[in-house]
Amino acid sequence: MELPAQVLVHNAIMGLKGAAGTLLRIDAHGYYELNLSFGDKLHRALLPIEETVVIHRRPEETVPAAAAAGELEIER
């Protein structure tokens, strides 16, 4: 995932359930650095990795059934 990334944030400590945010950095000391909106203001937040789930807002592209079954021809 390239940063910054638009994410959905879940964190019980903050009461966040799918809150929209921007993941700015993943720190080696065990926290996510995010921008989150509270009301009409944008705030920088540091949330612990162990207590936080971040989900990329854009879903992954699906693989066609033929490719998944190994029937897709790949030109080399």
Side-chain angles (χ1 to χ4, degrees):
M1 177 183 319
E2 290 186 30
L3 298 180
Q6 300 301 313
V7 295
L8 301 173
V9 182
H10 295 266
N11 180 283
I13 296 168
M14 296 285 294
L16 303 173
K17 296 181 181 179
T22 303
L23 177 60
L24 302 172
R25 186 167 66 103
I26 302 171
D27 191 88
H29 293 100
Y31 63 86
Y32 294 118
E33 184 175 351
L34 301 115
N35 276 344
L36 298 169
S37 293
F38 293 101
D40 61 344
K41 304 285 183 183
L42 188 64
H43 296 270
R44 182 75 43 101
L46 304 175
L47 298 178
I49 290 172
E50 291 181 358
E51 305 289 329
T52 307
V53 174
V54 294
I55 302 169
H56 202 285
R57 273 198 233 174
R58 186 182 52 197
E60 293 289 323
E61 293 181 23
T62 57
V63 178
E71 299 170 6
L72 186 64
E73 251 185 67
I74 298 175
E75 186 175 320
R76 294 175 191 235

